[in-house]
Amino acid sequence: MKKLLPWIPVVVAAAVVVASLVPPKEPGFHTREFGELPVLLNGRIQPLDSVARNALLQLRAKQTAPIKLHFSVFDPSKRGQLMDASTWLLELMAKPEVADTRKVFRVENQELADLLKLPAKDPEQGEDGMHYSYNQLKGQLDEIGRQAQRIDGIEAANRTPFERQVMKLQNALTLYQRLKLTLQPPMGEDLGAAVADFQKAAGPGVAAVQAKEAGQKYDEKAFNQFVEAFSGFNEMARFAYALVVPPAHPEVSRDAWVNVGTNVMATVRGEALSPAVSAYAGMISAYRQDRPEAFNQALHDYRQWLGERFKPELKKGEREAFYNLFQGFYKALVIYVLAFVLACVSWFNGSQLLRRASFHLIVLALVIHTASLIFRMVLEGRPPVTNLYSSAVFIGWAAAILGLVLERLYRDGLGAAMGSLVGFVTLVIAHNLALAGDTMEMLRAVLDTNFWLATHVVTVTLGYSATFVAGVLAIFYIIRGVFTTTLDAATGKSLTRMVYGIVCFATLFSFIGTVLGGIWADQSWGRFWGWDPKENGALLIVLWNAAILHARWGGWIRERGLMNMAIFGNIVTSFSWFGVNMLGVGLHSYGFMDAAFKYLVLFIATQVFLIGLGMLPDRYWKSFASRSPAAPPADPTSDAKAHPAPAGA
Amino acid sequence: MVLDKLISFFTSLKLTVVCLTLAMVLVFIGTIAQVDLGLYRVQHDYFQSFVVMWGPKHADWRIPVFPGGYLIGGLLLINLVAAHYKRFGFSRKKFGIILTHLGLILLLLGQLGTDKLARESSLHLREGETRNYSESDRRTELAVVETTDADSDKVVAIPDSALAAQSVVRSPALPFTIRVKRFLPNSALSSQAETGYEKSPATQGQGAGIWMREKPRVTKMDERDVPSAVLELDSGGQSLGTWLVSEFLNEPQKVTVGKRTFALSMRLRRYYKPFSLQLVEFRHDVYRGTDIPKNFSSLVRLRNPATGEDREVKIYMNNPLRYAGYTFYQASFDPDNKGSVLQVVHNPGWLTPYLACVLVGLGLTIQFLSHLIPFVKRRLAV
């Protein structure tokens, strides 16, 4: 029985994960299948589900829309109720009058809420003082637009929180309108009816327009009807968000997707109305009229039609929608937290049971993490790291693997705690980076090379990961040493060996990664080294890791010095990873983010504080005070002093 | 005694650690300084110098405040070589370290070589246009072109650095000497009197009757100096007048000496090649429905009369053309998408980083594994 105990958490977690792989049946409207339909957005084929999720992330930092806001878990009448992204998008495009009552806009800045006279928190009225519906904002569009126009001239980095929130809200409102216009004519009429009206008006209308232009007598009624019908689709053509109509001639170009407005207007020139437009019109009408069978039938027919002509696109949509639904990184994140807690507890009571349970959980989390990573790579057709988001995911993944290896070698709960902690934190970072929108955006020309993404980017990211791993192990050393009595001589010795070994690993990968980056630069713009900020950032990591190793071989630092230097490595790496992007100079500054700056500063401050702790005299260290004064901290690699070649890891 | 001390100083690991740390600080401040100074200036002042100088913004004095890239890199290089000479014999155990350090030495020397020998220029072509020269990105030259014979032009090019340094320029190909009366490293011209401008002393050509102004030299990456010069031409003791030359004056200025005619102009320095490139087509595609560039590519026709080569080559991102010691990269394009700018690099040391990468990678891997494998075996046996 005792042997089985450590397996219980992992079996439970695995069961929950597996159960989520089988989505529940949809009794009414098949909105999940609707969400799988492929469209073209951001230059790539993606399912409507991704469009909806990424839009909601931008509106309210969640992948779901609220039906009822949440106030209390205990009172069922005050519990929140959510709808999934695909259903929300369908509603927005088919029943905008209902969607306009959903509180999907998040306004966090009190100044802005006051300016727009938005209601304060009031559970009785269903107001949480943060989420508002389009109807609540509708009256203030002019004010928001006026503010935004002024702020637009201010550089993003110099905006106040109020100004940033105004721009965010303005962008959210634009996005919302554009989403609506994807399938919804501007005056709120039924899409199918509007298309029919347009086609009816087109014949006499075009004749009237031509007559008018030629200065002849023309049919004024036909002219006006046509102009009215035209202006609606013209607006859709100009502002619709996703391109939902597949190309009429896929054999010429599979890329030539258009939006509904463009396709309808092209019928004037004699081009055929795409079956996709009729299909969407059928679905929208059925949804408006609450007829699930008709909706499901139209959806089924359209999928069949797509399956015959656009099979790869349809498959891509299905796969990505499944990837979205599975949310593997989120599941891995939760399991990492559990594993971290178990590992930490095992430090104190020395429980092998908890330590093993933690180890198994990390294995499970890593399996999910890896599967999601590979799934993502297949969806994108790219190596694992293509942007900041995926670098965060990858750093965590590599750290978790290193953690498992260390745990397997030392069996002391340190590797497990480190792996799960870094896995957890980096996935949280990734989650926050994903709030900016699509994380699978297309790569601009210079980055469009799988060879260099697979070599330079992967190695340099492994270098980041290893440096963080060493830094986190060092933090464990200091926290356990200063605040607890659990840092005995053996644990200290293990940690020292681990940190030393990982720093060697980090040096190798960061050096190779950095030089490969130089070689890529030589290949793409003829300069091996240009002192660009991102290059410099990578070089800093190499220099620092090399400095640690040489200081160690020279006998300049011992256990604690090594730990403090490794923690400083966290600062160097975070600067290289995020800091340089914030300078806004150089060829690598593709991903500027202003909100992250304060977290970076906060992180650096905590690391400086930890180094400060690390420099406290021995008597303030609980662990050292509890050891016998005759035995100073052991230094397992001090034999290196005699001959400066690197000693064993 | 002193020698021993020197040797132990240059071979010490402490020097290594100090240099690595100084290098970090230099790289860090050099990165931050780019926000204000721009990449080009920082590269020159911080990394390609022996000491970093500092002074208040408008003062004309500056004091050395930090060792520069060449000093730190040089010390590291000496330290590395010296340490190997003194302490490292060739042994199997140290093979990895030796390879690593060898790679580093190669890398540092290679970069020094690149700094000193590499030449970058650019080649701007409109669609259909053919050129057999590239132009410097920021250096200029005074071109004196003999146009006496309508069929062939003889060019004497005088670099701006020569104009700045010399008072008199002579060439056997020219029947006159050029006396540099004034050289303005960066300048502006105006057709009318404005504050800060002085009247051009030119008595001949387009430069007569206009106003000029000396401007501070630029430091930003994407700007450059536009020099002007006031020249007096002298043929056999007889003055041909005072001339103002500047890139701002578009048309070459005509000088006549007896029956020979010459055209004077300041222009970007040209580097002629024994072959020519013609831009056949430039393409700039974006991803559907976005502004994200999908690719930039230039289809060029390469013609080399010496070898009889005549072929089309496609140059695109991450795929440069390497030919006759030059490398051509897709660098930029005209706003109307009908012209392309190729970066032209001549760098004899371009292969050193490739070799260095292999050496260091191999060295570190060997060193790392030779300790890791026995260690893991021991641990697993526990």
Side-chain angles (χ1 to χ4, degrees):
Chain A
M1 185 59 205
K2 203 147 189 217
K3 264 197 152 170
L4 290 179
L5 271 179
W7 288 96
I8 291 175
V10 73
V11 169
V12 172
V16 172
V17 171
V18 170
S20 77
L21 284 174
V22 191
K25 279 253 178 305
E26 294 182 293
F29 293 100
H30 293 172
T31 50
R32 197 174 55 237
E33 278 182 39
F34 174 78
E36 290 172 359
L37 293 179
V39 298
L40 196 129
L41 181 67
N42 286 339
R44 70 185 189 89
I45 295 292
Q46 52 183 293
L48 279 170
D49 184 59
S50 293
V51 177
R53 282 172 192 265
N54 290 328
L56 280 169
L57 280 175
Q58 288 173 66
L59 297 185
R60 63 179 294 257
K62 296 258 161 37
Q63 296 194 348
T64 49
I67 295 173
K68 240 171 72 191
L69 292 176
H70 182 81
F71 293 99
S72 164
V73 246
F74 304 111
D75 181 352
S77 69
K78 288 186 180 158
R79 242 175 250 161
Q81 206 182 338
L82 297 168
M83 70 201 291
D84 65 85
S86 293
T87 311
W88 170 77
L89 181 62
L90 176 60
E91 185 181 270
L92 177 63
M93 296 187 300
K95 292 182 185 171
E97 63 288 352
V98 182
D100 286 349
T101 65
R102 308 277 188 215
K103 296 185 193 294
V104 290
F105 293 93
R106 192 178 161 117
V107 178
E108 283 171 88
N109 184 284
Q110 195 53 44
E111 258 176 86
L112 181 59
D114 291 343
L115 176 74
L116 303 178
K117 303 180 188 68
L118 297 172
K121 182 170 177 174
D122 182 359
E124 296 306 315
Q125 298 295 318
E127 297 291 351
D128 68 351
M130 196 189 268
H131 291 91
Y132 303 98
S133 69
Y134 180 74
N135 281 344
Q136 286 175 297
L137 292 164
K138 206 161 55 175
Q140 301 289 345
L141 292 183
D142 288 343
E143 179 64 33
I144 300 168
R146 208 170 58 83
Q147 296 287 341
Q149 203 175 8
R150 179 186 69 85
I151 298 163
D152 203 30
I154 306 173
E155 227 177 289
N158 299 332
R159 290 178 187 157
T160 64
F162 165 77
E163 291 168 338
R164 279 204 291 272
Q165 181 75 72
V166 170
M167 290 317 278
K168 219 174 146 188
L169 184 59
Q170 167 79 357
N171 292 338
L173 284 162
T174 310
L175 172 63
Y176 186 82
Q177 301 283 29
R178 293 187 62 193
L179 278 171
K180 246 191 222 178
L181 284 173
T182 302
L183 287 180
Q184 176 63 224
M187 304 313 282
E189 60 270 43
D190 182 80
L191 177 63
V195 172
D197 286 349
F198 179 87
Q199 289 185 311
K200 211 165 73 200
V206 170
V209 169
Q210 282 167 345
K212 192 184 177 195
E213 272 174 6
Q216 294 160 351
K217 230 179 106 203
Y218 65 96
D219 182 345
E220 204 173 312
K221 198 177 151 215
F223 179 84
N224 289 338
Q225 270 176 357
F226 179 61
V227 167
E228 198 188 308
F230 187 86
S231 71
F233 284 105
N234 188 36
E235 197 174 330
M236 286 178 82
R238 285 176 58 202
F239 298 114
Y241 191 54
L243 308 180
V244 299
V245 180
H249 303 285
E251 67 285 357
V252 181
S253 163
R254 292 195 86 85
D255 256 1
W257 289 61
V258 293
N259 61 37
V260 171
T262 309
N263 181 253
V264 171
M265 294 209 307
T267 59
V268 174
R269 293 196 306 267
E271 281 178 36
L273 185 73
S274 171
V277 174
S278 317
Y280 275 115
M283 288 181 247
I284 295 285
S285 295
Y287 193 78
R288 281 167 86 100
Q289 296 156 10
D290 257 333
R291 288 160 47 217
E293 302 80 38
F295 176 87
N296 295 343
Q297 189 58 47
L299 174 62
H300 176 81
D301 293 347
Y302 180 49
R303 288 177 63 113
Q304 196 137 33
W305 181 82
L306 277 176
E308 285 158 19
R309 290 165 189 79
F310 297 94
K311 192 150 192 183
E313 286 83 357
L314 182 63
K315 280 267 165 268
K316 169 90 200 306
E318 286 173 10
R319 286 197 190 114
E320 191 172 322
F322 175 77
Y323 170 84
N324 291 342
L325 187 72
F326 181 56
Q327 294 200 295
F329 295 131
Y330 178 72
K331 292 192 168 109
L333 185 156
V334 173
I335 301 173
Y336 282 133
V337 176
L338 282 176
F340 178 64
V341 172
L342 294 184
C344 285
V345 175
S346 82
W347 292 349
F348 292 93
N349 63 4
S351 157
Q352 282 300 307
L353 206 134
L354 290 180
R355 193 191 64 76
R356 275 205 205 114
S358 168
F359 183 86
H360 296 322
L361 278 175
I362 297 174
V363 172
L364 174 68
L366 195 61
V367 167
I368 299 169
H369 201 155
T370 311
S372 300
L373 198 69
I374 293 174
F375 205 145
R376 202 187 129 84
M377 287 166 65
V378 173
L379 283 176
E380 270 201 294
R382 293 280 180 198
V385 185
T386 53
N387 51 17
L388 265 179
Y389 168 84
S390 45
S391 72
V393 168
F394 192 73
I395 286 175
W397 179 78
I401 290 185
L402 280 175
L404 282 184
V405 170
L406 291 175
E407 190 57 46
R408 177 70 191 78
L409 292 176
Y410 287 91
R411 300 165 192 270
D412 54 7
L414 285 166
M418 182 282 298
S420 51
L421 178 65
V422 180
F424 160 67
V425 172
T426 50
L427 287 179
V428 169
I429 292 172
H431 174 79
N432 281 293
L433 288 170
L435 298 184
D438 193 357
T439 62
M440 297 197 225
E441 76 271 53
M442 302 309 283
L443 294 176
R444 43 193 64 243
V446 66
L447 298 176
D448 184 12
T449 144
N450 282 349
F451 176 74
W452 291 111
L453 288 173
T455 51
H456 157 63
V457 179
V458 166
T459 12
V460 92
T461 313
L462 281 173
Y464 287 1
S465 187
T467 315
F468 278 135
V469 165
V472 170
L473 289 170
I475 292 174
F476 289 170
Y477 180 96
I478 284 170
I479 290 194
R480 285 180 69 166
V482 174
F483 296 112
T484 76
T485 53
T486 60
L487 187 76
D488 49 42
T491 311
K493 199 170 145 179
S494 299
L495 271 167
T496 307
R497 282 172 180 273
M498 284 186 209
V499 170
Y500 176 81
I502 298 289
V503 169
C504 289
F505 184 84
T507 311
L508 171 69
F509 281 91
S510 51
F511 181 87
I512 303 289
T514 306
V515 176
L516 283 175
I519 291 178
W520 181 7
D522 182 64
Q523 290 284 325
S524 72
W525 51 76
R527 222 169 283 145
F528 169 72
W529 198 259
W531 302 104
D532 173 280
K534 199 81 185 176
E535 293 170 355
N536 291 350
L539 177 63
L540 285 175
I541 300 182
V542 179
L543 289 172
W544 187 242
N545 281 318
I548 298 180
L549 292 180
H550 288 87
R552 178 86 199 149
W553 298 330
W556 260 18
I557 52 166
R558 309 178 101 208
E559 254 186 48
R560 277 208 269 156
L562 177 69
M563 298 304 165
N564 280 331
M565 283 183 89
I567 296 179
F568 190 76
N570 284 343
I571 298 180
V572 177
T573 314
S574 64
F575 174 76
S576 171
W577 189 21
F578 276 92
V580 289
N581 295 35
M582 295 170 190
L583 296 176
V585 281
L587 298 153
H588 281 86
S589 57
Y590 308 117
F592 181 83
M593 351 117 266
D594 40 23
F597 182 69
K598 76 172 178 232
Y599 289 103
L600 180 70
V601 171
L602 202 69
F603 174 75
I604 292 176
T606 57
Q607 303 305 299
V608 171
F609 175 72
L610 285 164
I611 294 174
L613 282 183
M615 297 208 281
L616 285 175
D618 282 4
R619 61 176 186 279
Y620 294 109
W621 289 57
K622 275 194 175 171
S623 288
F624 293 164
S626 68
R627 289 187 209 169
S628 70
D635 192 354
T637 52
S638 60
D639 57 340
K641 263 192 286 182
H643 43 93
Chain B
M1 259 316 269
V2 179
L3 193 68
D4 283 351
K5 270 196 174 155
L6 259 180
I7 289 177
S8 75
F9 171 77
F10 278 113
T11 55
S12 78
L13 261 171
K14 284 194 179 181
L15 180 66
T16 318
V17 176
V18 168
C19 281
L20 287 172
T21 314
L22 286 176
M24 271 191 75
V25 177
L26 179 74
V27 171
F28 180 74
I29 57 174
T31 308
I32 299 295
Q34 289 182 17
V35 177
D36 287 331
L37 297 180
L39 212 150
Y40 181 75
R41 168 84 178 274
V42 164
Q43 201 167 321
H44 184 267
D45 289 2
Y46 285 66
F47 303 124
Q48 294 170 354
S49 68
F50 283 92
V51 279
V52 178
M53 308 288 284
W54 178 87
K57 242 182 184 150
H58 299 289
D60 51 4
W61 55 268
R62 296 170 83 204
I63 47 165
V65 286
F66 205 78
Y70 282 165
L71 186 58
I72 299 175
L75 271 177
L76 267 176
L77 202 60
I78 295 172
N79 180 228
L80 209 58
V81 176
H84 272 275
Y85 183 74
K86 176 140 179 261
R87 285 201 307 253
F88 289 79
F90 275 95
S91 74
R92 251 188 61 188
K93 236 181 114 182
K94 288 172 187 164
F95 184 59
I97 288 287
I98 289 166
L99 270 189
T100 307
H101 285 167
L102 216 63
L104 284 176
I105 292 170
L106 186 67
L107 190 67
L108 287 173
L109 286 178
Q111 284 313 292
L112 185 69
T114 299
D115 274 0
K116 295 293 163 208
L117 300 174
R119 197 168 63 208
E120 290 181 16
S121 54
S122 51
L123 173 55
H124 180 200
L125 289 169
R126 298 286 297 168
E127 275 182 356
E129 195 179 3
T130 307
R131 280 193 178 173
N132 64 344
Y133 60 85
S134 58
E135 289 174 327
S136 165
D137 294 322
R138 43 183 77 235
R139 305 313 301 270
T140 52
E141 65 186 10
L142 170 67
V144 186
V145 185
E146 179 161 9
T147 51
T148 314
D149 183 355
D151 295 335
S152 70
D153 290 348
K154 267 186 240 150
V155 182
V156 175
I158 302 148
D160 54 0
S161 50
L163 293 179
Q166 294 173 22
S167 53
V168 181
V169 182
R170 289 188 180 84
S171 162
L174 299 177
F176 52 80
T177 56
I178 300 169
R179 220 153 58 75
V180 185
K181 292 177 83 172
R182 231 178 115 190
F183 181 75
L184 293 73
N186 189 19
S187 61
L189 299 185
S190 169
S191 56
Q192 52 196 359
E194 280 179 60
T195 37
Y197 285 76
E198 55 187 299
K199 197 153 192 319
S200 151
T203 59
Q204 296 283 331
Q206 297 166 36
I210 65 168
W211 277 260
M212 64 182 200
R213 175 189 184 180
E214 182 159 358
K215 283 179 32 178
R217 305 197 61 167
V218 299
T219 55
K220 291 214 177 96
M221 181 80 176
D222 51 355
E223 288 175 12
R224 68 176 177 92
D225 294 325
V226 183
S228 298
V230 179
L231 312 171
E232 187 172 9
L233 307 186
D234 191 332
S235 175
Q238 190 198 343
S239 173
L240 300 173
T242 305
W243 302 73
L244 174 71
V245 289
S246 168
E247 263 189 276
F248 287 114
L249 302 172
N250 299 332
E251 293 291 310
Q253 308 182 59
K254 210 169 127 188
V255 181
T256 312
V257 183
K259 283 187 177 163
R260 298 170 70 182
T261 56
F262 297 87
L264 285 183
S265 62
M266 281 296 273
R267 65 186 189 193
L268 283 170
R269 203 178 286 180
R270 290 183 181 178
Y271 305 106
Y272 285 89
K273 318 263 179 288
F275 54 91
S276 70
L277 290 182
Q278 178 187 28
L279 180 62
V280 180
E281 190 196 18
F282 173 73
R283 284 190 66 94
H284 168 201
D285 299 328
V286 294
Y287 289 105
R288 181 91 185 161
T290 69
D291 303 323
I292 306 173
K294 189 175 184 179
N295 72 63
F296 304 103
S297 67
S298 296
L299 184 65
V300 294
R301 187 171 202 101
L302 168 72
R303 290 192 190 90
N304 188 342
T307 60
E309 270 174 288
D310 183 353
R311 57 184 166 108
E312 282 189 351
V313 190
K314 195 166 161 191
I315 299 170
Y316 53 101
M317 296 308 302
N318 298 314
N319 262 285
L321 160 68
R322 291 191 196 274
Y323 185 76
Y326 295 93
T327 317
F328 297 83
Y329 301 87
Q330 182 63 52
S332 183
F333 55 99
D334 289 346
D336 66 354
N337 283 336
K338 297 273 179 212
S340 176
V341 180
L342 302 176
Q343 171 93 344
V344 185
V345 179
H346 173 72
N347 178 12
W350 73 276
L351 263 175
T352 51
Y354 292 71
L355 263 171
C357 182
V358 172
L359 285 176
V360 177
L362 221 75
L364 284 177
T365 311
I366 290 172
Q367 194 63 30
F368 193 36
L369 289 183
S370 70
H371 287 97
L372 184 71
I373 292 170
F375 168 75
V376 169
K377 276 188 184 152
R378 265 204 320 276
R379 284 302 310 187
L380 289 180
V382 172

